[in-house]
Amino acid sequence: MNSSDEDWTSAEPGNSRSGQVLYVDVDGFEGPLDLLLDMARRQKVDLASISVLSLAEQYLQFIERVRKKRIEVAADYLVMAAWLAYLKSRLMLPEIIDDDEPSGEMMAALLQFRLKRLEAMRNAAARLVNRPRLGREVFSRGDPEPVDITREYAFDTSLFHLLKSYADMRERNVAVDYAPEKRIVWSLKEARLIIERLVGEGSEWIALDKYLARYLAAPEKRATVLASSFSASLELVREGSMEMRQTLAFGPLLMRRRGQGKKPGRENSD
Amino acid sequence: MQEREHGAEPGTEPGNGCEAGGQEEMEHRNLRVIEALLFASDEPLCVGEMAPFLEEGVNAEQLLDQLARQYAGRGVNLVQRGERWAFRTAADLGFLLRRTEKETRSMSRAALETMAIIAYHQPVTRAEIEEIRGVASGRGTLDMLMEAGWVRMRGRRRTPGRPVTYGTTPEFLDHFSLSSLGDLPGLEELKGAGLLSSRLPPEMQIPLPFEGELADDEDPLEDDDPVLATGGEG
Amino acid sequence: MQEREHGAEPGTEPGNGCEAGGQEEMEHRNLRVIEALLFASDEPLCVGEMAPFLEEGVNAEQLLDQLARQYAGRGVNLVQRGERWAFRTAADLGFLLRRTEKETRSMSRAALETMAIIAYHQPVTRAEIEEIRGVASGRGTLDMLMEAGWVRMRGRRRTPGRPVTYGTTPEFLDHFSLSSLGDLPGLEELKGAGLLSSRLPPEMQIPLPFEGELADDEDPLEDDDPVLATGGEG
């Protein structure tokens, strides 16, 4: 706080030495409230009993002088000047009843409060920095004893996981040692050959399942045999060498060699 | 030398009867553990950090008070810093130990004032700080105080614009040798004079520096609050 | 709070007469200074370094001895290291400065499989583990399981090369809440639990874990077995 006093002496609003402003540096102040507080302090009276009116006048004179000296004043100083000019007028005029605006006394009290509060905070700051401070007057352990942390790893796993991985592994490796069951797949090519052979030159409508009866006997083959032979039959129909029909939904799929001129859809018209 | 390190314990008196002796012994052990933990650390520790090393169900606060009394007149004191405790050299020996070469960079008047306002008025918004100081404060001041570790963003005021609220940190207490915010110098007088009102006018209710987690009109800062990403108010 | 930091000094008794009191006070002050200096110093101090802070003509050695006695039974002791003195955590409380932090990790598939093989097939050699897994496993997996405390080296197989045999530890049983290795489910139980499919070759078997001290073809690990020194197979 002491060092900042130097800043304030550069601006001497109520210069007592020569009664004239030598040099004005508004930048030395931390805003208009700071400037006002400084002026109030120079009156050497308690802030509570200060004459707000004379303070306002002093501030307005100061700003006036500063502006005459070609110095640009920051906007917030001018705002404060306007407010103080208004305050001054309110204080000097008789109070108007039923006015929405605050009374001059209230405004003056408000200014006093703000000045007191700012001063109080400033004093508090000074008291704070003068407290015994860590690293200056008060010390912590200079050679703290560090905590030696060893990390211990624990595994988050359950018996189920253990057994499952064991079973999976055993099974996996069994599959390597013993030849796995071959999955039977009828390729389309195979199916086509078989169907062509079975249907032969027959021109009778015969259900697909009947043709495939002996292949469908093994249950594990059923799906692949049906799927592949059906696809192959469709291909044969598309090529025009075979005819298919189904009379009701999920009914037997009938097929025959496409005869000489005999086409299923055209039987009636022929 | 070895005897000194494992020496007799002058505090315990044998022959007190088995039960009393056991309890006394347990208390003695707990005190030693607290002492050792706090002595080994240069940072204040909270009860929660010490509890795992103490016997279960022990009243750590009471032990800490006891230990603080034992160290009260010594060159090293056990002090409370908010929720935490630490051993610190006695403040009255400061003149002797004072390290001038390690003088902390002197803070600007603006920073000092801002810090005091935050300490006494917390939770306080930047607008309120500016209102008290009567001047717009640059971002730099608050940033500097946060960087020094003395000031933190606490939350957001539940008012239009949801301004960020500021408060002090545990390090602030430690640095200025305050056992709690209630120890702030002149707090009672300021409170009595109605000067701790951050909002106007004097007849308004006077809030105190608020130590709790959150004030009534304060929301916590969410982890994804943009202010946390930028390190300052957007 | 303030009282704690600048509190009364219980050690000094008033009314001892003026001179004695003065001397006692001086001694007390010197003790406090030594205490604070040693506490705040970042390295042990010798008498010469402390003397400038003490009253002239004082017997620092004697004061240090006195301080060491005062701290003898406490959680922190004043110890001499050569010509220098320092505060150190009492030796019996050293455990406070060593902390183990447990970190839980999920086990890799390799670790799980190796663990399971050791459980079911013990005593089992590393080569056998690899054979069962069908994959060469690194040393790391076994080491990790031993570090976790679930696997131990049991002995050496009485076959060419005398390979080390591995088995499970009591901690293994403990962790998986098994009262004995016999509690590990067998083939039928694994099938029943749906862990093994039913289309396994009939030759496949799951061994009954061996619980004995030593298998017929197993030699105990002698204390001087090199594997014990290196903590793993060379």
Side-chain angles (χ1 to χ4, degrees), chain C residues 44-190:
Chain C
L45 296 177
C46 64
V47 170
E49 286 163 317
M50 291 181 269
F53 298 93
L54 305 175
E55 255 118 312
E56 237 170 291
V58 90
N59 185 340
E61 297 283 359
Q62 193 216 307
L63 286 171
L64 283 160
D65 278 339
Q66 195 176 331
L67 208 56
R69 275 196 304 280
Q70 286 178 6
Y71 275 91
R74 307 206 66 104
V76 164
N77 301 144
L78 180 59
V79 297
Q80 196 168 3
R81 298 279 179 257
E83 294 295 296
R84 294 169 175 274
W85 296 78
F87 280 115
R88 286 284 173 261
T89 301
D92 65 317
L93 295 178
F95 69 92
L96 293 174
L97 302 175
R98 288 186 298 273
R99 268 167 229 181
T100 44
E101 273 176 23
K102 285 218 169 118
E103 206 170 285
T104 34
R105 296 198 282 193
S106 56
M107 263 175 120
S108 68
R109 197 177 83 166
L112 266 173
E113 287 178 7
T114 306
M115 185 68 246
I117 290 169
I118 293 170
Y120 274 101
H121 297 255
Q122 62 188 298
V124 64
T125 68
R126 201 172 124 201
E128 287 162 353
I129 295 168
E130 292 180 354
E131 199 191 310
I132 297 167
R133 282 196 69 213
V135 188
S137 48
R139 269 283 303 282
T141 309
L142 266 173
D143 283 353
M144 204 181 64
L145 291 170
M146 285 197 281
E147 219 174 285
W150 292 351
V151 164
R152 66 186 176 97
M153 292 184 281
R154 291 173 47 97
R156 285 190 179 275
R157 176 76 49 79
R158 226 177 284 125
T159 53
R162 296 178 48 73
V164 173
T165 50
Y166 294 89
T168 53
T169 62
E171 289 79 47
F172 167 82
L173 293 178
D174 201 33
H175 182 90
F176 292 101
S177 310
L178 296 164
S179 51
S180 75
L181 288 171
D183 278 1
L184 283 170
L187 184 69
E188 289 311 313
E189 289 160 292
L190 287 174

Side-chain angles (χ1 to χ4, degrees), chain B residues 19-48:
Chain B
E19 268 173 42
Q23 171 138 30
E24 213 167 85
E25 205 174 285
M26 195 177 93
E27 184 181 283
H28 183 66
R29 182 197 174 273
N30 285 326
L31 278 175
R32 290 182 76 229
V33 167
I34 292 178
E35 200 174 26
L37 285 172
L38 287 169
F39 229 89
S41 168
D42 54 351
E43 303 268 331
L45 300 178
C46 65
V47 169

Side-chain angles (χ1 to χ4, degrees), chain A residues 40 43-51 112 116 119:
Chain A
Q43 297 193 0
K44 292 201 164 61
V45 289
D46 183 38
L47 279 179
S49 51
I50 203 162
S51 159
Q112 255 175 341
K116 274 200 286 189
E119 190 177 50

Side-chain angles (χ1 to χ4, degrees), chain B residues 6 22 26 35 64-65 69 76 82 93 101 110 130 143 146 175-177 182 190 193 222 234:
Chain B
H6 310 281
M26 195 177 93
E35 200 174 26
L64 283 159
D65 278 337
R69 277 196 303 277
V76 169
L93 296 177
E101 77 272 15
E130 292 178 348
D143 281 355
M146 284 197 279
H175 184 88
F176 292 101
S177 307
L190 290 172
E222 302 293 335

Side-chain angles (χ1 to χ4, degrees), chain B residues 65 67-79 88-93, chain C residues 1-12 25 28 32:
Chain B
D65 278 337
L67 204 58
R69 277 196 303 277
Q70 288 178 8
Y71 274 90
R74 306 204 69 102
V76 169
N77 302 143
L78 178 60
V79 297
R88 296 286 180 252
T89 56
D92 65 318
L93 296 177
Chain C
M1 289 303 112
Q2 286 302 89
E3 301 88 280
R4 246 177 233 155
E5 292 174 49
H6 311 283
E9 296 156 14
T12 55
E25 206 174 284
H28 183 66
R32 291 182 77 224

Side-chain angles (χ1 to χ4, degrees), chain B residues 2 9 42 126 141 145-146 150 152 161 164 180-181 183 186 214 219-220 222-223 231-233:
Chain B
Q2 282 306 92
E9 297 158 11
D42 54 351
R126 199 170 127 200
T141 308
L145 290 170
M146 284 197 279
W150 294 340
R152 67 185 174 100
V164 171
S180 73
L181 287 177
D183 264 8
L214 282 174
D219 281 332
E222 302 293 335
D223 286 345
E233 281 178 82

